[in-house]
Amino acid sequence: MVDSLGDSLDRALEGAFTRRIPQSAQAQMNYLVKQLKGTKAAAQALGISQRTVERYVSGKLKRPRQDLRGRLEREVKKRWQPQIRAKARKKAASTDGLVVSTRARFGFTAAAGTTDDARIRDITQALPPEWADRLFTAREQGANERQLQQIAADGLAQMYFRANNSRAHGLGVEFTDVEHIQIDL
C-alpha cells in the first residue's frame, strides 16, 4: 500500500508529540470517550456499538480486533496533544517549512523540443513555509489526495525544477504514480 500525502502530513505532526499515546485498548478508549464527551460519540467515531465501547472502558474487553485496533489508534492520534500539534504546524508554516522526500513519476509541460517525457525520480526537497501552510490548510479543509498532490507538485516545481523561479519559467510539473512520500518537519 502506498502512503498518502495526507497520512504523511499527519505522521510529521505526530513526530512533535512529547508523550506517547495511551498504549492499552482500555486507556485509548477512555481517552477517546473523554475527548468525544461520551460513549455514544466514541462508538460512532469507531463504527462500533456503544455497548462495545462500554466493555472496553470497564475492562471487560481488552484486545480489539486488528481493524478496530488500527481505527482506535488513528482516532486517538488525531486528538492527542492538540496544542503540541498546532505549535509544530505553526512553526512549519511560519519559519521552518518542511522537507518532502518522494519517489514518483514526474512529467512536464514545457516548450516544444524539450524532453518532457514522464519518468520516475527520487527527490528530497525542502519547501519553504508558505508551501507547508498551503498543505496543512488544505488538509484541514478536507482536500482530497489529488489536491494535496497538486500542491506538493507546485511546490516541488517551484523549488526543485525551477530553482525558486530562477530558471525554467513556465514549466508545469505533473506528479503521478507516487511510490513513496514522506514529509518531515
Side-chain angles (χ1 to χ4, degrees):
M1 184 174 137
V2 176
D3 262 354
S4 76
L5 200 131
D7 291 342
S8 191
L9 284 169
D10 291 342
R11 259 193 317 285
L13 290 175
E14 289 165 11
F17 289 167
T18 57
R19 292 185 334 225
R20 290 175 24 175
I21 67 167
Q23 297 302 299
S24 72
Q26 183 179 12
Q28 288 178 347
M29 199 64 79
N30 281 331
Y31 177 79
L32 201 57
V33 167
K34 183 178 177 185
Q35 290 299 306
L36 297 174
K37 297 177 177 44
T39 56
K40 186 174 182 178
Q44 288 174 340
L46 295 169
I48 57 176
S49 73
Q50 184 175 354
R51 184 69 189 121
T52 302
V53 170
E54 291 166 358
R55 286 185 184 121
Y56 278 107
V57 167
S58 69
K60 289 180 182 160
L61 292 178
K62 295 186 186 294
R63 295 202 175 112
R65 299 179 319 269
Q66 189 169 355
D67 62 325
L68 176 58
R69 188 175 336 132
R71 286 195 313 265
L72 180 58
E73 189 171 311
R74 232 181 347 271
E75 291 298 322
V76 169
K77 281 182 178 178
K78 199 186 297 183
R79 292 164 178 82
W80 188 248
Q81 293 190 326
Q83 293 166 332
I84 301 283
R85 182 187 302 267
K87 189 189 273 186
R89 182 203 182 285
K90 183 179 179 186
K91 187 175 179 188
S94 61
T95 57
D96 290 358
L98 50 82
V99 176
V100 177
S101 299
T102 186
R103 178 174 174 80
R105 182 173 305 278
F106 289 89
F108 311 98
T109 51
T114 59
T115 59
D116 59 357
D117 292 338
R119 66 178 194 256
I120 297 286
R121 291 178 186 249
D122 289 305
I123 295 175
T124 298
Q125 178 65 47
L127 296 181
E130 62 265 16
W131 291 104
D133 187 42
R134 287 183 194 180
L135 281 167
F136 285 124
T137 301
R139 176 75 172 156
E140 287 172 2
Q141 292 174 349
N144 63 33
E145 186 64 17
R146 186 70 206 127
Q147 292 166 322
L148 291 172
Q149 284 182 359
Q150 186 58 51
I151 294 168
D154 293 344
L156 289 170
Q158 177 182 332
M159 300 309 295
Y160 182 84
F161 294 103
R162 293 193 298 258
N164 202 11
N165 292 328
S166 65
R167 64 181 171 91
H169 299 286
L171 178 73
V173 176
E174 288 182 21
F175 182 45
T176 58
D177 300 337
V178 177
E179 292 179 14
H180 161 81
I181 190 157
Q182 179 179 335
I183 307 285
D184 294 307
L185 299 180

